[in-house]
Amino acid sequence: AQSVTQLDSQVPVFEEAPVELRCNYSSSVSVYLFWYVQYPNQGLQLLLKYLSGSTLVKGINGFEAEFNKSQTSFHLRKPSVHISDTAEYFCAVSGEGAQKLVFGQGTRLTINP
Amino acid sequence: DTGVSQNPRHKITKRGQNVTFRCDPISEHNRLYWYRQTLGQGPEFLTYFQNEAQLEKSRLLSDRFSAERPKGSFSTLEIQRTEQGDSAMYLCASSLAFLPGTEAFFGQGTRLTVV
């Protein structure tokens, strides 16, 4: 069985500051890792995913994430945030043969001007 | 293609009533998923279909919940005898089942409030 822990429920940052949203996962098999963003009253939109290969993954809107197998982490980063990045961010995992996504509890990113 | 469509967007119902939600996936997608999301939590998997076959159901899906995808296209999720604990956002997603890790595209969800 897989599980995901997002270590921060809320992260406030100032506009143009860097941000890191932390995600740790647990799995007994190889995993695929995802970050989704949810804007208010919207569905989830994929930011980026790690399937294999390079551990640094680049996504949309200037986000990137690094897969660290030894630390079982998949932290999301952005060097300079914008007001429009205010949203809920979800880390998710799926395993080989497992078709469903297992989500973390989410991190609410708040950008202050 | 306009993406995954869910109807209605909002539903308020009295406890004990039955409700049905509809999901129209992206047209060429053969996989369809239902998730439930409560306030302050991440989405939780309920069930998924490949074409018209329901391949997995979560323990969260009690006997009051039933999902169908009769022709492998749209899907319906019915909740019978609703309870206040059923209040949540119900999300539908679809994907192509070619390779593991294929991206799932989500609809905007149906927000259910049971009063």
Side-chain angles (χ1 to χ4, degrees), chain A residues 15-32:
Chain A
E15 194 172 15
E16 298 183 5
V19 69
E20 178 180 83
L21 306 183
R22 297 180 293 168
C23 171
N24 285 91
Y25 69 92
S26 172
S27 176
S28 57
V29 298
S30 298
V31 296
Y32 306 103

Side-chain angles (χ1 to χ4, degrees), chain A residues 32 34 36 38 41-47 49 51 88 90 94-106 108, chain B residues 9-10 31 33 35 37 40-45 48 56 89 91 97 99-109 111:
Chain A
Y32 306 103
F34 305 80
Y36 280 85
Q38 187 176 35
N41 299 315
Q42 299 292 317
L44 281 77
Q45 179 183 3
L46 182 69
L47 276 178
K49 61 182 176 182
L51 303 182
E88 189 94 19
F90 293 96
S94 71
E96 284 187 7
Q99 308 307 326
K100 62 189 177 189
L101 291 167
V102 175
F103 287 88
Q105 292 184 306
R108 181 172 300 277
Chain B
R9 292 289 311 279
H10 302 274
R31 285 237 172 102
Y33 309 81
Y35 290 83
Q37 185 179 20
Q41 301 295 318
E44 295 175 297
F45 170 79
Y48 91 93
E56 185 176 350
M89 176 78 87
L91 295 167
L99 294 172
T102 303
E103 176 182 355
F105 292 82
F106 283 80
Q108 293 184 302
R111 183 170 296 283

Side-chain angles (χ1 to χ4, degrees), chain A:
Chain A
Q2 291 109 19
S3 66
V4 175
T5 302
Q6 291 184 242
L7 297 162
D8 306 294
S9 59
Q10 295 186 64
V11 173
V13 295
F14 287 106
E15 194 172 15
E16 298 183 5
V19 69
E20 178 180 83
L21 306 183
R22 297 180 293 168
C23 171
N24 285 91
Y25 69 92
S26 172
S27 176
S28 57
V29 298
S30 298
V31 296
Y32 306 103
L33 292 154
F34 305 80
W35 276 99
Y36 280 85
V37 61
Q38 187 176 35
Y39 299 103
N41 299 315
Q42 299 292 317
L44 281 77
Q45 179 183 3
L46 182 69
L47 276 178
L48 48 79
K49 61 182 176 182
Y50 172 78
L51 303 182
S52 65
S54 173
T55 56
L56 183 63
V57 180
K58 293 190 183 296
I60 62 171
N61 301 341
F63 284 93
E64 64 181 31
E66 185 153 20
F67 171 62
N68 188 318
K69 187 174 182 179
S70 62
Q71 297 188 359
T72 60
S73 67
F74 190 54
H75 300 333
L76 181 70
R77 301 185 183 101
K78 186 170 183 178
S80 176
V81 295
H82 190 266
I83 290 284
S84 60
D85 294 322
T86 297
E88 189 94 19
Y89 291 79
F90 293 96
C91 182
V93 63
S94 71
E96 284 187 7
Q99 308 307 326
K100 62 189 177 189
L101 291 167
V102 175
F103 287 88
Q105 292 184 306
T107 297
R108 181 172 300 277
L109 178 61
T110 305
I111 313 298
N112 299 308

Side-chain angles (χ1 to χ4, degrees), chain B residues 55-114:
Chain B
L55 297 186
E56 185 176 350
K57 293 196 295 185
S58 164
R59 289 172 299 167
L60 293 174
L61 213 64
S62 78
D63 291 344
R64 297 183 298 105
F65 287 70
S66 62
E68 294 183 339
R69 195 182 182 197
K71 297 183 179 180
S73 57
F74 73 91
S75 175
T76 57
L77 178 67
E78 181 183 16
I79 309 175
Q80 296 182 325
R81 305 181 303 282
T82 52
E83 302 173 356
Q84 287 190 320
D86 297 331
S87 295
M89 176 78 87
Y90 290 83
L91 295 167
C92 176
S94 69
S95 72
L96 281 169
F98 287 142
L99 294 172
T102 303
E103 176 182 355
F105 292 82
F106 283 80
Q108 293 184 302
T110 294
R111 183 170 296 283
L112 173 67
T113 303
V114 181

